[in-house]
């Protein structure tokens, strides 16, 4: 009987109410704030002046700004999406208002005396979901009972869908500003992310099934035969994957902060953001270049270019353990990564804190401090990692900003020298409001906003890390330059941009000192003898 595979160029976008589902659209409280303060505002603005958006999108200085990228068209569809959001998400819209009102109430009424009487004044929709607290200087705040919010009417899985469409090129609109309106060549599955069809579908990339079985699978998920469904399947088998069987360590760069480490019998994948397979002049590793089983997927922090649901959902069936930074203090700006993943169908989420470790057959994975890059907000969902394999030590610093070199003096005392370091150097990061603006109940002064940025290390800061750990190999990564990531990055550097000049300086200085150094781009493979 003829069997079929899922084609390697099928794009599968997880959506939340028609918007690309990034990590802050899943936890109820951050979703609520993003609906009212980002989505509705952008849609209102587009409906009233679509051509203004069309010209703003063309202006490179406004890249990543709040502008819808549909060339001034599809206004009626945006209007319908707005109306549908207003009616289907009324509970989250009320939650967003209540979070604002709670902040306001605490600011005016919590004066250092007991907070107990104020529970009566918590907005009704939030009652029973918050604990009111002071810090040691009597500044009032609240702690969200996040696991309870996931078990409430505020976590409505019907907002989650998956849009399948043919992927043919790198260029995609920036997802924080442009809703994903239905594509004429797409099949839109109304299934929540934890639905079994998600795993069954992506298993089909390697394990073929008959057309009837595939149709049954879709029927079980409530989707009868769609007239264009067969475009996504092929009888051509994929190239078999050859795992690394040598005695050393092989690492491969998949773009941005995504690195696959393999030793005999062990695979570790960092911050998965992976390209589909389609013709392109820029060579790259794709989903086809992943082992059958991923022993550990490791997440460094909760920014949309490091936790990408689009990729994570496609890997879920082959992931044994997913390692995430421990948090869960109930602050609005720092939703629990463990709850985020366990509520979207990921089993085996392992939380790690600073200096905690997981033992692997050939070494360990150790969580290390990650300072900065979060606009001075109290965000704890971030970790750098040390991977020990045999005698080798590899440090994955992600977007850590070396704002306090003494930290690394302490860390060096604990872990010793490092062979290989991977460092992000986006030293001109976006201002606080770009990512966290919707969470604030009061706008921040422009000058303060501009001073609090999502910046990684500059030359001095990065070189201090390389020198202190006596690294032999230094790689700059996580620079957002691969074109298949522009839908989540919106960064286009020129040769004069500081992240480029600073990282070029680092590479040159390291090479002068006899180190192997490079700013990674596209793809790379290195074999490290053990
Ligand atoms: Fe980041
Ligand atoms: Fe990043």
């Amino acid at each position: 009987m003829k069997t079929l595979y899922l084609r390697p160029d099928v794009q599968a976008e997880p959506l939340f109410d028609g918007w690309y589902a990034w990590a802050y659209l899943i936890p109820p409280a951050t979703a609520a704030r993003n609906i009212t303060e980002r989505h509705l505002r952008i849609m209102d603005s587009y409906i009233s002046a679509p051509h203004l958006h069309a010209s703003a999108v063309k202006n490179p200085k406004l890249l990543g700004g709040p502008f819808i990228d549909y060339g001034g068209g599809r206004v009626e569809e945006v209007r319908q999406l707005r109306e549908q959001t207003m009616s289907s998400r009324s509970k989250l819209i009320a939650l967003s208002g209540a979070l604002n009102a709670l902040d306001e109430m605490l600011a005016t009424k919590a004066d250092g005396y007991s907070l107990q009487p104020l529970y009566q004044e918590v907005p009704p929709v939030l009652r029973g979901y918050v604990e009111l607290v002071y810090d040691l200087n009597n500044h009032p705040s609240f702690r969200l009972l996040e696991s309870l919010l996931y078990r409430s009417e505020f976590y409505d899985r019907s907002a989650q869908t998956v849009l399948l469409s043919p992927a043919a090129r790198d260029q995609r609109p920036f997802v924080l500003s442009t809703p994903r309106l239905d594509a004429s060549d797409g099949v839109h599955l109304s299934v929540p992310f934890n639905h079994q069809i998600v795993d069954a579908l992506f298993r089909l990339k390697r394990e073929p099934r008959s057309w009837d079985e595939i149709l049954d699978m879709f029927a079980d998920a409530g989707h009868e035969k769609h007239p264009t469904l067969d475009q996504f399947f092929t009888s051509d088998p994929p190239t078999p994957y050859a795992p690394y069987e040598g005695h050393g360590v092989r690492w491969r760069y998949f773009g941005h902060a995504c690195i696959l480490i393999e030793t005999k019998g062990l695979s570790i994948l960092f911050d998965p953001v992976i390209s589909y397979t389609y013709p392109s002049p820029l060579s790259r590793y794709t989903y086809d270049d992943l082992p059958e089983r991923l022993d550990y997927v490791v997440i460094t922090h909760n920014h949309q270019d490091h936790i990408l649901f689009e990729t994570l959902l496609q890997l879920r069936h082959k992931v044994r353990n997913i390692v995430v930074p421990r948090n869960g203090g109930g602050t609005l700006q720092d939703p629990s990564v463990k709850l985020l993943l366990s509520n979207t169908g990921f089993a085996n989420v392992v939380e790690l804190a600073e200096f905690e470790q997981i033992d692997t057959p050939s070494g360990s994975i150790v969580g290390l401090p990650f300072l900065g890059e979060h606009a001075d907000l109290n965000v704890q969902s971030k970790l750098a990692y040390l991977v020990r394999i045999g005698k080798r030590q590899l440090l994955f610093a992600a977007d850590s900003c070396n704002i306090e070199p003494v930290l690394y003096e302490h860390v060096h005392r604990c872990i010793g020298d490092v062979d290989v370091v991977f460092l992000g150097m986006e030293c001109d990061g976006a201002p606080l409001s770009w990512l966290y603006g919707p969470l604030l109940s009061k706008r921040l002064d422009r000058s303060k906003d501009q001073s609090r940025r999502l910046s990684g290390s500059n030359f001095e800061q990065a070189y201090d890390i390389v020198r202190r750990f006596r690294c032999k190999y230094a790689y700059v990564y996580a620079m957002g330059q691969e074109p298949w990531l522009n839908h989540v990055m919106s960064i286009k550097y020129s040769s004069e941009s500081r992240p480029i000049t600073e990282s070029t300086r680092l590479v040159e200085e390291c090479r002068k000192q006899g180190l192997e150094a490079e700013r990674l781009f596209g793809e790379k493979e290195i074999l490290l003898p053990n």
Side-chain angles (χ1 to χ4, degrees):
M1 190 182 23
K2 188 176 160 188
T3 56
L4 298 167
Y5 296 88
L6 181 67
R7 291 172 60 106
D9 57 355
V10 178
Q11 181 170 293
E13 292 165 281
L15 303 181
F16 171 90
D17 263 349
W19 287 76
Y20 190 84
W22 60 291
Y24 275 44
L25 293 187
I26 312 296
T30 50
R33 296 298 295 164
N34 273 286
I35 288 173
T36 61
E37 309 308 305
R38 192 188 297 272
H39 298 175
L40 289 174
R41 280 169 194 256
I42 293 179
M43 289 192 283
D44 282 343
S45 158
Y46 189 72
I47 292 162
S48 65
H51 292 290
L52 209 129
H53 283 241
S55 52
V57 164
K58 286 193 200 126
N59 182 347
K61 285 201 181 118
L62 298 175
L63 214 61
F67 306 105
I68 292 185
D69 190 1
Y70 280 122
R74 306 187 77 168
V75 180
E76 197 42 47
E77 287 168 86
V78 173
R79 196 193 310 274
Q80 276 169 20
L81 179 61
R82 186 196 180 280
E83 272 162 31
Q84 184 206 317
T85 307
M86 292 298 287
S87 64
S88 338
R89 297 305 144 223
S90 58
K91 295 215 163 62
L92 284 179
I93 292 170
L95 177 65
S96 174
L99 287 163
N100 232 1
L102 177 62
D103 234 10
E104 182 71 34
M105 185 276 282
L106 289 173
T108 51
K109 298 198 171 165
D111 47 10
Y113 287 93
S114 166
L115 290 167
Q116 272 193 48
L118 296 185
Y119 279 86
Q120 306 290 330
E121 303 198 31
V122 170
V125 296
L126 260 177
R127 285 190 69 177
Y129 292 115
V130 288
E131 180 172 29
L132 307 182
V133 292
Y134 284 120
D135 69 13
L136 292 172
N137 291 311
N138 299 328
H139 295 128
S141 180
F142 58 86
R143 179 173 78 87
L144 292 163
L145 303 175
E146 244 198 301
S147 7
L148 209 47
L149 285 171
Y150 276 106
R151 289 173 168 79
S152 75
E153 60 192 4
F154 299 119
Y155 186 58
D156 181 356
R157 287 195 165 94
S158 74
Q160 300 173 4
T161 58
V162 179
L163 178 61
L164 305 178
S165 61
R169 60 197 184 111
D170 289 331
Q171 196 57 43
R172 292 163 70 177
F174 182 54
V175 299
L176 297 195
S177 321
T178 300
R180 183 65 165 104
L181 301 173
D182 265 342
S184 55
D185 52 358
V187 171
H188 202 158
L189 302 176
S190 299
V191 291
F193 303 151
N194 65 349
H195 197 284
Q196 59 185 11
I197 194 178
V198 172
D199 297 322
L201 185 64
F202 299 118
R203 259 197 200 102
L204 283 170
K205 281 197 178 175
R206 294 265 160 201
E207 300 164 28
R209 291 170 83 171
S210 72
W211 182 233
D212 284 346
E213 285 175 316
I214 293 170
L215 288 180
D216 285 349
M217 198 174 99
F218 278 82
D220 287 347
H223 286 268
E224 296 309 324
K225 187 174 185 291
H226 192 284
T228 58
L229 189 63
D230 55 353
Q231 65 176 316
F232 300 132
F233 298 92
T234 174
S235 54
D236 298 341
T239 319
Y241 183 76
Y244 176 65
E245 299 286 353
H247 295 292
V249 182
R250 179 175 80 182
W251 64 258
R252 284 178 166 181
Y253 173 72
F254 278 63
H256 202 52
C258 183
I259 292 190
L260 174 68
I261 300 179
E262 277 180 287
T263 59
K264 200 171 178 172
L266 178 74
S267 57
I268 307 173
L269 183 68
F270 277 87
D271 289 351
V273 290
I274 298 176
S275 172
Y276 298 98
T277 312
Y278 44 81
S280 160
L282 182 59
S283 176
R284 68 196 68 177
Y285 293 116
T286 70
Y287 286 97
D288 292 346
D289 301 300
L290 289 173
E292 301 300 322
R293 192 194 71 217
L294 291 163
D295 295 305
Y296 296 95
V297 161
V298 184
I299 303 287
T300 58
H301 65 299
N302 192 358
H303 283 157
Q304 81 280 0
D305 50 319
H306 298 262
I307 296 189
L308 192 70
F309 271 92
E310 181 171 355
T311 296
L312 288 174
L313 290 179
Q314 302 190 39
L315 305 185
R316 189 170 66 194
H317 67 279
K318 57 167 78 191
V319 176
R320 286 233 169 135
N321 301 282
I322 179 157
V323 181
V324 304
R326 174 176 301 156
N327 67 334
T331 59
L332 182 59
Q333 73 273 12
D334 192 18
S336 158
V337 180
K338 181 174 185 181
L339 288 175
L340 167 72
L341 293 172
S342 54
N343 279 285
T344 44
F346 291 84
N348 306 327
V349 183
V350 182
E351 284 186 320
L352 216 56
E354 290 152 354
F355 291 102
E356 285 184 350
Q357 75 175 50
I358 293 169
D359 292 328
T360 65
S362 48
S364 56
I365 302 170
V366 188
L368 292 178
F370 172 150
L371 299 191
E373 212 251 344
H374 288 64
D376 302 326
L377 291 169
N378 180 10
V379 171
Q380 297 181 11
S381 54
K382 46 182 187 169
L383 275 185
Y385 293 91
L386 180 73
V387 175
R388 292 185 171 127
I389 298 173
K391 292 190 213 98
R392 296 287 187 183
Q393 301 219 86
L394 295 90
L395 173 60
F396 292 83
D399 294 335
S400 300
C401 186
N402 184 3
I403 47 180
E404 174 49 286
V406 182
L407 165 75
Y408 292 102
E409 202 178 301
H410 298 316
V411 173
H412 183 250
R413 183 165 37 80
C414 301
I415 66 166
D417 292 348
V418 159
D419 299 280
V420 188
V421 65
F422 296 90
L423 262 174
M425 291 186 69
E426 255 193 78
C427 53
D428 271 348
L432 178 148
S433 60
W434 182 75
L435 198 63
Y436 300 105
L439 308 182
L440 303 179
S441 43
K442 280 196 201 72
R443 266 175 184 266
L444 198 61
D445 288 351
R446 193 181 140 75
S447 59
K448 290 180 183 166
D449 187 35
Q450 292 292 322
S451 87
R452 292 172 58 183
R453 309 188 80 95
L454 283 76
S455 293
S457 294
N458 61 20
F459 165 74
E460 269 89 20
Q461 292 167 323
Y463 190 56
D464 177 74
I465 294 177
V466 175
R467 224 180 20 193
R468 199 176 294 274
F469 289 96
R470 288 185 249 201
C471 304
K472 298 179 199 77
Y473 306 81
Y475 298 102
V476 178
Y477 75 151
M479 300 295 273
Q481 294 305 283
E482 284 79 16
W484 59 90
L485 284 169
N486 56 21
H487 62 304
V488 285
M489 290 304 299
S490 79
I491 297 178
K492 279 201 178 67
Y493 293 137
S494 72
S495 54
E496 277 92 60
S497 306
R498 268 187 73 238
I500 297 301
T501 57
E502 296 281 298
S503 54
T504 301
R505 233 181 115 193
L506 179 82
V507 169
E508 285 170 358
E509 190 56 41
C510 287
R511 287 180 180 166
K512 241 191 261 170
Q513 306 298 324
L515 277 66
E516 183 163 329
E518 185 176 334
R519 183 175 57 235
L520 300 174
F521 176 70
E523 71 176 19
K524 179 93 185 170
E525 177 187 277
I526 295 275
L527 294 177
L528 272 179
N530 213 344

